[in-house]
Tab-separated table of all heavy atoms in Angstrom:
chain	number	residue	atom	x	y	z
A	10	ILE	N	-8.421	6.328	-12.788
A	10	ILE	CA	-7.927	5.633	-11.598
A	10	ILE	C	-6.812	6.439	-10.941
A	10	ILE	O	-6.788	6.611	-9.718
A	10	ILE	CB	-7.459	4.203	-11.951
A	10	ILE	CG1	-8.657	3.335	-12.353
A	10	ILE	CG2	-6.707	3.564	-10.789
A	10	ILE	CD1	-8.288	1.981	-12.926
A	43	ASN	N	24.158	15.893	11.411
A	43	ASN	CA	25.207	15.806	12.434
A	43	ASN	C	25.104	14.512	13.235
A	43	ASN	O	26.124	13.887	13.544
A	43	ASN	CB	25.149	17.010	13.368
A	43	ASN	CG	25.656	18.279	12.706
A	43	ASN	OD1	26.418	18.225	11.737
A	43	ASN	ND2	25.207	19.424	13.210
A	57	ILE	N	33.314	-2.852	5.345
A	57	ILE	CA	32.932	-4.177	4.841
A	57	ILE	C	31.900	-4.824	5.758
A	57	ILE	O	30.913	-5.410	5.297
A	57	ILE	CB	34.180	-5.085	4.689
A	57	ILE	CG1	35.178	-4.486	3.680
A	57	ILE	CG2	33.777	-6.493	4.282
A	57	ILE	CD1	34.632	-4.323	2.277
A	89	THR	N	-10.344	-20.303	-5.854
A	89	THR	CA	-11.061	-20.642	-7.090
A	89	THR	C	-11.565	-22.084	-7.084
A	89	THR	O	-12.464	-22.423	-7.847
A	89	THR	CB	-10.169	-20.424	-8.332
A	89	THR	OG1	-8.975	-21.184	-8.187
A	89	THR	CG2	-9.825	-18.961	-8.503
A	110	GLY	N	-6.322	-10.142	-8.050
A	110	GLY	CA	-7.680	-9.621	-8.101
A	110	GLY	C	-7.902	-8.731	-9.306
A	110	GLY	O	-8.922	-8.828	-9.995
A	166	PHE	N	-12.466	3.247	-0.104
A	166	PHE	CA	-13.847	3.682	-0.328
A	166	PHE	C	-13.917	5.063	-0.980
A	166	PHE	O	-14.705	5.282	-1.900
A	166	PHE	CB	-14.637	3.664	0.985
A	166	PHE	CG	-15.019	2.288	1.417
A	166	PHE	CD1	-14.372	1.673	2.473
A	166	PHE	CD2	-16.013	1.582	0.744
A	166	PHE	CE1	-14.712	0.384	2.867
A	166	PHE	CE2	-16.361	0.290	1.135
A	166	PHE	CZ	-15.706	-0.308	2.195
A	180	PHE	N	-18.546	9.930	-18.798
A	180	PHE	CA	-19.072	8.948	-19.736
A	180	PHE	C	-20.554	9.145	-19.934
A	180	PHE	O	-21.361	9.225	-19.107
A	180	PHE	CB	-18.800	7.508	-19.253
A	180	PHE	CG	-17.538	6.945	-19.822
A	180	PHE	CD1	-16.424	6.790	-19.032
A	180	PHE	CD2	-17.458	6.549	-21.143
A	180	PHE	CE1	-15.246	6.247	-19.526
A	180	PHE	CE2	-16.283	6.002	-21.661
A	180	PHE	CZ	-15.198	5.865	-20.857
Side-chain angles (χ1 to χ4, degrees):
I10 292 171
N43 287 337
I57 299 299
T89 56
F166 284 106
F180 266 107

